[in-house]
Amino acid sequence: MPGVAATSRWSGLLWLALLAGAVQAQTSAGEALQLLQRVQTAAARLNYSGTFVYMQQGGQPQTSRITHVYDNGQERERLDILDGTPLVVVRTNDQTKSYALDAKVVTVEKRSIRGAFPGLVTEQVAAIAEHYEIRKGESARVAGLDSHVLHLEARDRMRYSHKLWVEVGSGLLLRAQMINERGEVVEHIAFTQVDIGGPAEKYASRLGRQRVGRDWRTAVPQFEPARLAEAGWHIESPFPGFRKVLELKRGIGDAEVGQVVFSDGLASVSVFIEPIRAGAQIKDGASAQGSVNVYRRRVGDHQVTVLGEAPSACVSRIARAIEYRPAPRP
């Protein structure tokens, strides 16, 4: 029967077209994930040096210069803040020294969480893909270099979307934008000039050695791992994707401050818990500066502050979920 045969033939062609589309979509998604993985690796394993500009919505641009070297399994990095108050941050693997040039103070501490530009990803890309739709887009030029564009669209309203420009040859991140739920760019950071590759010796003079005088003071912040639940604090992320990556307490003045950090691999949200000083006036509520949202509330005799590069709905929801349940006295 010709009609049946024709229908069967068209059904077969339609099935093949749908199958080809599905295969192409899977291939494209796989390429995007591989590209995101390259961003993670390139920031830590490449030698590079350049100048980049950072800007938040409604804020002033800030220019910085970075030099990064990976040699014999060791990372070395120098970051010079060029606008405003002069600051130099020198890092060797996880050990950082921050030099406040005007105050003549060097602060020494261990950095346990990474993710600063041009690094970005702090989790395995497969985990990130659960909460962001990742796709490879158009090509573009940034700082005179060809780049692939990656779109990371948030699957819910609890996180921002991202747009990334990745250098074609090396996988180094050249530009990044953070986009809110209204499609507005709330944070933008990009290299204006960057030199990628070559031996470590090429960058030795740019790493330099920060000199300090006898009148400089060294500060070593005191902090230690903590289990705030044992003190009665119930601090959990009320929605999937954000997991606890850090929990500690540190002394600030004569007060002990607890800190918990949640991350979904791209965004981080910090919770600070500190005792309220006698006579202090605490106002509950939200505030924002560019991509950073803040929510403060009083819980018992403590002030809880939640802040992060996440939508206001995310930050406030985490803050409202925090409870203090002190253990009953014997």
Side-chain angles (χ1 to χ4, degrees), residues 89 116 141 196 312:
V89 181
R141 281 174 62 78
I196 306 172
S312 177

Side-chain angles (χ1 to χ4, degrees), residues 23-34:
V23 171
Q24 184 177 7
Q26 289 181 351
T27 301
S28 178
E31 290 177 354
L33 285 173
Q34 289 178 359

Side-chain angles (χ1 to χ4, degrees), residues 216-247:
W216 277 66
R217 180 170 61 87
T218 299
V220 183
Q222 300 298 313
F223 61 88
E224 60 186 55
R227 293 180 62 87
L228 298 178
E230 295 179 356
W233 289 100
H234 180 73
I235 309 170
E236 298 294 339
S237 171
F239 37 81
F242 285 91
R243 70 178 187 89
K244 191 182 297 183
V245 296
L246 184 69
E247 185 170 7

Side-chain angles (χ1 to χ4, degrees), residues 39-327:
V39 171
Q40 187 178 27
T41 303
R45 295 294 183 263
L46 287 178
N47 297 333
Y48 53 87
S49 181
T51 302
F52 63 86
V53 176
Y54 169 79
M55 188 167 183
Q56 284 191 333
Q57 187 182 44
Q60 297 296 317
Q62 183 185 71
T63 306
S64 301
R65 181 173 58 244
I66 188 170
T67 298
H68 179 275
V69 165
Y70 181 75
D71 188 34
N72 294 323
Q74 186 177 64
E75 278 188 84
R76 289 180 294 151
E77 184 177 278
R78 178 186 174 112
L79 177 68
D80 292 80
I81 308 300
L82 303 180
D83 295 331
T85 304
L87 179 69
V88 177
V89 181
V90 177
R91 178 173 67 87
T92 301
N93 296 327
D94 291 334
Q95 184 82 12
T96 65
K97 294 182 178 181
S98 302
Y99 298 85
L101 304 187
D102 287 351
K104 295 185 178 180
V105 175
V106 55
T107 303
V108 182
E109 56 188 332
K110 184 176 181 180
R111 189 176 76 170
S112 56
I113 300 177
R114 300 191 181 185
F117 184 84
L120 181 72
V121 182
T122 61
E123 295 283 343
Q124 294 298 318
V125 295
I128 293 173
E130 293 180 13
H131 305 286
Y132 297 86
E133 181 182 343
I134 306 173
R135 59 182 176 85
K136 184 179 174 183
E138 67 278 14
S139 299
R141 281 174 62 78
V142 177
L145 299 173
D146 293 329
S147 68
H148 298 301
V149 180
L150 270 181
H151 299 267
L152 288 77
E153 297 179 4
R155 297 185 186 273
D156 56 44
R157 298 175 67 85
M158 294 297 126
R159 58 206 89 219
Y160 291 133
S161 295
H162 299 258
K163 188 175 180 181
L164 313 177
W165 286 257
V166 183
E167 203 272 321
V168 170
S170 66
L172 188 69
L173 183 63
L174 300 178
R175 177 189 292 168
Q177 289 181 346
M178 199 174 293
I179 303 164
N180 67 15
E181 61 276 17
R182 296 182 296 275
E184 301 167 338
V185 176
V186 293
E187 183 177 290
H188 178 97
I189 187 167
F191 277 113
T192 56
Q193 174 278 324
V194 63
D195 188 10
I196 306 172
E201 293 78 13
K202 173 182 175 181
Y203 300 92
S205 62
R206 296 179 230 184
L207 280 173
R209 182 179 177 85
Q210 186 61 38
R211 299 182 181 276
V212 298
R214 294 182 178 179
D215 54 345
W216 277 66
R217 180 170 61 87
T218 299
V220 183
Q222 300 298 313
F223 61 88
E224 60 186 55
R227 293 180 62 87
L228 298 178
E230 295 179 356
W233 289 100
H234 180 73
I235 309 170
E236 298 294 339
S237 171
F239 37 81
F242 285 91
R243 70 178 187 89
K244 191 182 297 183
V245 296
L246 184 69
E247 185 170 7
L248 56 84
K249 57 183 178 181
R250 67 176 69 201
I252 299 180
D254 58 354
E256 186 175 83
V257 178
Q259 181 183 4
V260 175
V261 180
F262 295 99
S263 176
D264 70 352
L266 286 177
S268 294
V269 177
S270 292
V271 177
F272 296 93
I273 299 174
E274 57 185 307
I276 298 174
R277 297 179 182 275
Q281 298 297 316
I282 304 301
K283 181 181 288 188
D284 291 6
S287 61
Q289 181 176 352
S291 62
V292 178
N293 279 284
V294 183
Y295 195 95
R296 295 182 177 89
R297 63 184 286 247
R298 181 173 186 144
V299 180
D301 294 330
H302 291 77
Q303 175 177 295
V304 172
T305 303
V306 181
L307 63 88
E309 291 184 327
S312 177
C314 171
V315 171
S316 61
R317 191 168 167 184
I318 291 176
R320 290 195 298 267
I322 295 172
E323 298 179 355
Y324 181 52
R325 306 173 193 160

